[in-house]
Amino acid sequence: MYSAPHPAQPFQVPPVAQPNSGGNPVGAIFLGLFASVVVSLLYSGLIMATYKEQSVTTSNVLYFAHALLNGAVVGFLVGSVGRGNNGAGIGGAVIAALGAFFGYANSIPLVFAMEETPKAAFDLLEHEPFLPAKLWWHNNTGGVDWLNLLGLVLAAAVAWGLCYVIGKGRRQA
């Protein structure tokens, strides 16, 4: 039996790979940066208000809580807006770590300004501009304070982890 040929199917263009995320990584980075600045300013204000009553243990706990909160806020916002973009997640981790550092470092001139005068704090920073970073790195005995470095790692890990989990969930939706 002979059958008639079927008409040929029209040529179809193969589907172009669509991006799997509809997020905005640049907007996520800027939103994370803004949130990190706000959280760091709140931490610096808390330290400025309570520095006289703090023990070493209390200041370490507050620093780790600040690093955790900064990482969580940045990770949540970057994950929600960036929707799982790897670049946004890495940028959020860097921003959270920098926020943890600058929250601590910015509280030092504020405390000095409260104890002395704002002019004295300005003169101190003009003479020794990296003093807050040196005080962050060294502990009371002059050695390296590894707990502060661990706080940076904590902030970055929490930010990246939350960004990944939230972005992965939003990407599949």
Side-chain angles (χ1 to χ4, degrees), residues 34-125:
F34 176 74
S36 180
V37 167
V38 169
V39 171
S40 295
L41 286 174
L42 291 174
Y43 172 74
S44 295
L46 177 68
I47 295 301
M48 187 176 70
T50 63
Y51 71 95
K52 289 183 181 178
E53 293 85 25
Q54 289 182 8
S55 66
V56 174
T57 305
T58 305
S59 68
N60 285 337
V61 167
L62 284 175
Y63 177 69
F64 281 118
H66 165 246
L68 184 67
L69 179 66
N70 202 328
V73 168
V74 170
F76 175 77
L77 291 174
V78 170
S80 297
V81 176
R83 294 194 180 170
N85 184 292
N86 288 334
I90 293 168
V94 170
I95 286 171
L98 287 173
F101 170 75
F102 282 113
Y104 183 95
N106 288 340
S107 67
I108 293 169
L110 292 175
V111 167
F112 191 78
M114 292 247 332
E115 279 296 313
E116 299 293 326
T117 63
K119 173 83 169 107
F122 179 76
D123 290 341
L124 175 72
L125 289 176

Side-chain angles (χ1 to χ4, degrees), residues 79-80 83-84 162-173:
S80 297
R83 294 194 180 170
L162 266 175
C163 181
Y164 178 78
V165 168
I166 290 173
K168 182 179 172 187
R170 293 200 45 139
R171 189 182 315 161
Q172 293 173 354

